[in-house]
Amino acid sequence: MKLETAVADDVAEMQPRFFNPSQFAALRKLSETLMPPMNEAPGAAEAKAAEFLDFLIGESPSERQQLYKTGLDLLNTQAKKRFSKASFAELDGGQVATLLAPLREAWTFDPPADLLSRFLRAAKQDVRAATMNSREYISAAASGGGRRGAGGVGLYWYPID
Amino acid sequence: MAAKDYDVLIIGSGASGGMAAYSLAKKGVKCLLLDAGPQVDFQRNRGLKPVYELPYRGFGKPGRLSHVFQANEFNANQWVDEAQVPYTHDPKQPYNWVRVRMVGGKSLFWARMSFRLSDYEFKAKDHDGFGENWPISHADLSPFYDRVEPIFRVSGRKEGLDQLPDGQFIEDKSPDSLASKRLGEAGKPLGMTVTKIRRSLGDGSLASSYNLLLPDAVASGNVTIVPNAVVRELSVDKQTGLVNGVHFVDRQSGRELYAKARAVVLGASCLESTRILLNSKIANSSGALGHYLHDQFYMSNSVVALVPEARDGKGGRGLVGGAGYIPRFRNIKTKEKNFIRGYAFDFSTGGTPDARYFPSWGEELQKDLDSARGAGFAATLMGEVLPRFENHVRLDKTVTDAWGIPVLNFQCRYTDNEFNMARDAVETLGEVCRTAGFEVLHRTDKMFPPGYSIHELGTCRMGDNPKTSVLNKWNQSHDIKNLFVVDGSSFVTGGSQNPTMTILALSMRASEYLAEQLQKRVI
C-alpha cells in the first residue's frame, strides 16, 4: 500500500535565512532580471530561485558564501552611489542593465579578478539552473508551455549499503 | 569452512582484473577474484527521478566529491567517497583521483573510447629521446588487440595512420556531416585527419567487464568472485620470497580475512594496485614503484564554436550532427619547437553551447540560445603527459582509510611540455575552425588538475631493466615471479589515446603467459 503524499513546497514557503534582508532583496531582483518569465515559461520568481539559492549558498563552502554576500552588497552600494536609490531592488531596467555590464565581457575559464564580475558570472549560471531545475519550470515545460532545455529526469544512484 | 587453495588470486574486477579472470578461466586456471566494492543491482540501486526531487535541485551537496568534476547529484553515490578512502596532496598541487568500487569497476561507466597505441608511444624514445621505450612494440600487442576488439565490439573507420593503428572494427559507414568535412579540409594542410570516434558498442547499454568478461569467467566454473573484499596487503613466503596470499577486510563488517594463492594478479586500478604493493613493502628493488605517474590532460570545451549556416534551426542532418576524432598529428612528420609528443581532439557538432558563452542575460540570452540551438561545435583536448620520475605517489602513514589502511600522498604537476602543447592545441584548432567558417565563441588552454581524465597511468612501469622498472614485458614483477600487475600502472608512456583497449590487451597477454607458466610449473 502506498499513501498519496504532498511535497512541502506545495503547502509551505521557503524561509530565507542566510542572506540579510537587503542582500536577499537584491538577489531576488537580480534573479528576476536574469531569468524573467518568457514564452509562458515561469521565471526565477515563480521558481523561487532566490529562496533556493539562499538555502544552497547557506550550505556552501565559505568562499562561495563570501562571493555572494560581497556581490550583493556591491549591487546595493552601487545603486546608492550611481543612481541615488536606496537599494538595487529599486532600480529601473536601464539602471540594472548598467550594473550588469560586466556580463557583456566574453567568458573566460579563469574567474575574473573583479569581485562584482565574478559574482555576476556565478549568479547567471546559478539562477538559470535553479530556475530550470525547479518543479514549476519543468511542469510548465511538460505541459507544453515551457521551453526546451528544462532540467529533466535522470538516473539516480541510491546510496549503496 | 577452511580457506581454499586457488591457482591465482586476482584483485580487482574492472577492465584489467576482469580480463585476467576471463583469460585464465578459459585456460582452466582456478581463480579467486576479489573486489573492494559490492555487486550492484542496476534495478535496485538506480531509479529515475526528476531533478527537482533531489535535495539540492541538481546542484549536488556543496563540498561533496570536490575532486570529482564528473560527479553530479544524480550519480554522486557511484563514486568512492573521499571521506571513506582519503588521499593527500599539497593544496597548491591538487590531484583529481576519481574512483569506483563496484564489481566491474570503472568499466561500468567509461566513455568507451577504444583506441590502440602505436609505435609512436611504444618506441617513443626512438622518436624524441625522452624517457624510455616500452619493452614491447605494437606488433607484440597487435594479436591481442585483434582479439579484444571483437569482444567489446569496437566501431570505427580505418584510416591507415601509423600513429593510430586500425583494428578489428565494426565499420562505421555513417557519412560525415558537412561541418566535419569542412573541418577536415581546413586541417589537412597541417596533417590533421578527421575520423570517426572509435567506440566499444558492447551490448548497446553496457560495454563493461561486468557483462562482457565476468559472465564467461564465472560460467566456466573456474572463477569465484568475492565482492566487498578490501585488500590490506599481500603476504610473502619468507623462504621463497614469493607472494602466497592476501590479507583483506570485509567492507561492511570490518572482519579481517586471509586467502592463499599460488600466484597474484593485481588489477585494482593503477594507483590502488600500487598502493597495495607499497603497503605490502614488496616489488620495489628498482625504487621505481609509485613513480612516473602520468595521465592525459583533458580540457573539455577547449574550443567552443558555432556553425553559422546551422543557426536559427537551419542545421538539420547532413550539415551538423554526430561526433568525430582528430588523432595526433604533431611531431609525426615535423618537429615542434617547444614541445615533444602530441595531442588529439574529440568533438561533437549539432549541440547548443552553454549559456555562459553568450554575453547576455534574460530575454536577450534566450534569443541568442534559440538562434544557436543545434549549431554548436565543442572539442575536448586530450594531450600526452610526459612520464617523469618526480611525479609520484607514496604512502602517507599519518592518514588511514575507513579500514585502517594507509593512504596515498600525491606529488604530481604538469610542466612546460604540457602547457606549451595545450597552448598550441587550442590556438591551432581555433584557427582551423575559423578556416572552416565556424564562429569561435570561446577557447581555453587552462588545465584541470592532473587526474581529471581518469586515465592515471604508470607507477609500476614495465621495462627490460630491473633497476629502472617494476615489471618485465609480461607485466610480471622483476622481483617476485608469481606477481603480475595488469592495469594501467604498467604503462611506460600513454600517448593521447584513451588507454582501456591497451589495458585489456596487456591483461589478456599477461594472463595467457601466466597460465602457460603455471602449466609448465615454472610458477
Side-chain angles (χ1 to χ4, degrees):
Chain A
M1 189 183 79
K2 200 172 179 195
L3 296 175
E4 194 175 315
T5 58
V7 290
D9 302 73
D10 290 347
V11 301
E13 299 213 316
M14 274 191 271
Q15 297 289 293
R17 49 191 291 178
F18 176 69
F19 295 116
N20 67 36
S22 65
Q23 287 165 344
F24 187 75
L27 179 60
R28 189 174 250 167
K29 174 86 170 181
L30 178 65
S31 303
E32 288 165 15
T33 307
L34 294 172
M35 279 300 276
M38 290 176 279
N39 311 334
E40 294 169 52
E46 295 81 354
K48 305 265 191 309
E51 286 83 351
F52 173 76
L53 288 176
D54 178 271
F55 156 71
L56 183 77
I57 303 302
E59 300 281 302
S60 294
S62 61
E63 204 183 328
R64 191 79 169 166
Q65 297 184 335
Q66 216 42 53
L67 178 68
Y68 262 79
K69 285 187 163 180
T70 316
L72 293 167
D73 287 342
L74 275 171
L75 289 178
N76 282 327
T77 49
Q78 292 282 320
K80 275 180 207 133
K81 222 157 113 185
R82 296 175 67 172
F83 305 107
S84 309
K85 293 281 171 121
S87 69
F88 179 72
E90 287 179 23
L91 300 186
D92 65 30
Q95 292 165 334
V96 168
T98 307
L99 293 190
L100 298 198
L103 288 179
R104 294 289 176 203
E105 291 156 22
W107 190 84
T108 50
F109 184 85
D110 284 331
D114 176 62
L115 261 177
L116 182 61
S117 305
R118 204 187 316 165
F119 162 67
L120 288 173
R121 193 187 271 189
K124 175 176 154 178
Q125 292 298 107
D126 289 348
V127 167
R128 200 174 157 76
T131 304
M132 296 176 83
N133 290 352
S134 68
R135 176 187 298 270
E136 293 77 5
Y137 192 97
I138 292 166
S139 306
S143 64
R147 293 182 303 268
R148 282 189 283 177
V153 170
L155 205 46
Y156 177 76
W157 275 89
Y158 292 98
I160 292 164
D161 290 342
Chain B
M1 208 163 99
K4 284 191 187 171
D5 282 325
Y6 291 92
D7 296 325
V8 176
L9 168 77
I10 304 169
I11 301 170
S13 65
S16 62
M19 179 55 88
Y22 175 91
S23 304
L24 289 164
K26 276 203 183 331
K27 301 280 181 190
V29 179
K30 296 277 178 202
C31 302
L32 172 63
L33 173 58
L34 304 181
D35 196 280
Q39 174 172 207
V40 295
D41 174 339
F42 289 112
Q43 300 302 317
R44 209 173 63 96
N45 294 115
R46 299 188 310 191
L48 290 172
K49 270 196 184 196
V51 64
Y52 56 75
E53 277 188 13
L54 304 178
Y56 298 92
R57 243 185 232 195
F59 281 79
K61 187 175 169 59
R64 187 180 174 192
L65 292 164
S66 58
H67 287 95
V68 184
F69 296 176
Q70 291 83 357
N72 58 47
E73 197 168 353
F74 284 103
N75 70 21
N77 292 315
Q78 83 184 35
W79 310 103
V80 167
D81 183 353
E82 217 172 287
Q84 201 166 46
V85 194
Y87 62 97
T88 61
H89 59 75
D90 181 331
K92 289 190 196 110
Q93 281 182 27
Y95 192 95
N96 284 12
W97 190 17
V98 181
R99 298 157 287 171
V100 170
R101 286 187 172 186
M102 292 176 186
V103 174
K106 296 194 291 285
S107 76
L108 293 168
F109 305 109
W110 67 307
R112 306 196 205 171
M113 295 295 118
S114 302
F115 302 101
R116 293 183 176 205
L117 293 185
S118 74
D119 283 333
Y120 281 94
E121 287 79 39
F122 291 118
K123 302 297 165 197
K125 187 184 181 183
D126 293 348
H127 291 278
D128 52 38
F130 181 87
E132 294 292 341
N133 288 331
W134 290 58
I136 56 171
S137 65
H138 179 258
D140 294 315
L141 206 53
S142 187
F144 298 93
Y145 281 124
D146 284 348
R147 289 163 58 201
V148 169
E149 285 152 352
I151 299 172
F152 277 72
R153 302 184 64 241
V154 177
S155 81
R157 186 167 74 199
K158 295 190 179 187
E159 298 285 354
L161 299 171
D162 289 342
Q163 70 270 37
L164 192 74
D166 294 326
Q168 305 299 318
F169 299 146
I170 295 170
E171 203 186 334
D172 185 343
K173 290 180 183 160
S174 61
D176 285 342
S177 68
L178 198 59
S180 209
K181 282 182 193 155
R182 271 162 51 184
L183 196 73
E185 283 303 312
K188 218 178 204 166
L190 298 166
M192 262 188 198
T193 306
V194 172
T195 184
K196 296 289 182 189
I197 54 167
R198 296 178 177 178
R199 185 169 189 268
S200 286
L201 302 175
D203 71 3
S205 60
L206 203 60
S208 170
S209 160
Y210 190 77
N211 66 326
L212 301 178
L213 302 174
L214 296 176
D216 280 7
V218 173
S220 73
N222 291 328
V223 174
T224 305
I225 302 179
V226 176
N228 301 311
V230 181
V231 171
R232 186 180 291 289
E233 60 184 34
L234 304 178
S235 65
V236 174
D237 181 317
K238 286 202 177 82
Q239 311 262 280
T240 61
L242 297 173
V243 285
N244 59 6
V246 59
H247 295 278
F248 65 97
V249 192
D250 178 67
R251 182 177 67 90
Q252 285 153 312
S253 66
R255 282 184 306 134
E256 298 281 342
L257 295 125
Y258 179 76
K260 294 188 281 186
R262 278 173 64 198
V264 172
V265 172
L266 281 172
S269 83
C270 173
L271 295 170
E272 286 292 5
S273 289
T274 295
R275 182 178 167 211
I276 290 168
L277 293 178
L278 288 168
N279 273 315
S280 309
K281 301 179 189 69
I282 56 172
N284 193 22
S285 68
S286 64
L289 181 64
H291 291 268
Y292 304 101
L293 171 62
H294 59 287
D295 63 342
Q296 286 138 4
F297 67 83
Y298 266 37
M299 294 155 77
S300 335
N301 296 312
S302 59
V303 177
V304 179
L306 287 171
V307 181
E309 298 84 346
R311 273 186 180 275
D312 303 313
K314 295 190 197 111
R317 288 186 171 271
L319 178 55
V320 286
Y325 185 76
I326 302 173
R328 171 178 165 185
F329 59 96
R330 289 301 195 202
N331 292 313
I332 300 286
K333 291 193 174 111
T334 54
K335 208 170 169 178
E336 297 305 314
K337 281 188 210 69
N338 63 358
F339 65 91
I340 56 171
R341 313 290 164 92
Y343 52 81
F345 288 101
D346 70 29
F347 66 86
S348 66
T349 62
T352 307
D354 189 88
R356 64 165 62 97
Y357 301 117
F358 298 93
S360 49
W361 64 86
E363 292 195 11
E364 187 189 343
L365 172 61
Q366 197 52 47
K367 282 190 191 117
D368 288 344
L369 286 167
D370 287 342
S371 170
R373 178 158 296 123
F377 166 93
T380 296
L381 165 62
M382 301 163 291
E384 176 161 356
V385 171
L386 293 181
R388 296 175 187 279
F389 182 83
E390 302 85 318
N391 287 340
H392 68 282
V393 290
R394 57 191 182 188
L395 288 182
D396 184 337
K397 289 181 184 146
T398 65
V399 182
T400 54
D401 67 13
W403 299 276
I405 304 169
V407 307
L408 289 179
N409 172 262
F410 285 71
Q411 304 278 330
C412 186
R413 62 189 178 90
Y414 292 149
T415 55
D416 282 346
N417 200 68
E418 289 82 37
F419 298 136
N420 292 340
M421 190 189 288
R423 208 166 300 129
D424 176 72
V426 298
E427 269 172 27
T428 305
L429 186 63
E431 277 313 304
V432 168
C433 283
R434 282 192 195 96
T435 310
F438 300 176
E439 188 185 324
V440 176
L441 293 178
H442 168 74
R443 23 174 247 194
T444 176
D445 56 15
K446 291 289 160 53
M447 300 273 190
F448 289 114
Y452 165 69
S453 62
I454 327 184
H455 288 176
E456 56 275 15
L457 301 167
T459 68
C460 279
R461 72 173 186 179
M462 52 162 70
D464 289 328
N465 184 350
K467 289 187 178 144
T468 57
S469 57
V470 178
L471 307 172
N472 68 15
K473 66 177 176 180
W474 300 106
N475 293 65
Q476 179 182 27
S477 162
H478 285 299
D479 297 352
I480 302 175
K481 296 298 167 204
N482 67 343
L483 173 65
F484 290 71
V485 187
V486 296
D487 50 41
S489 59
S490 69
F491 278 43
V492 181
T493 55
S496 50
Q497 299 95 312
N498 306 50
T500 305
M501 281 295 120
T502 304
I503 291 170
L504 288 163
L506 285 170
S507 177
M508 180 188 262
R509 180 173 174 271
S511 303
E512 292 185 357
Y513 174 80
L514 169 59
E516 245 173 61
Q517 300 291 301
L518 287 166
Q519 268 154 17
K520 289 187 199 156
R521 297 261 152 198
V522 182
I523 291 176

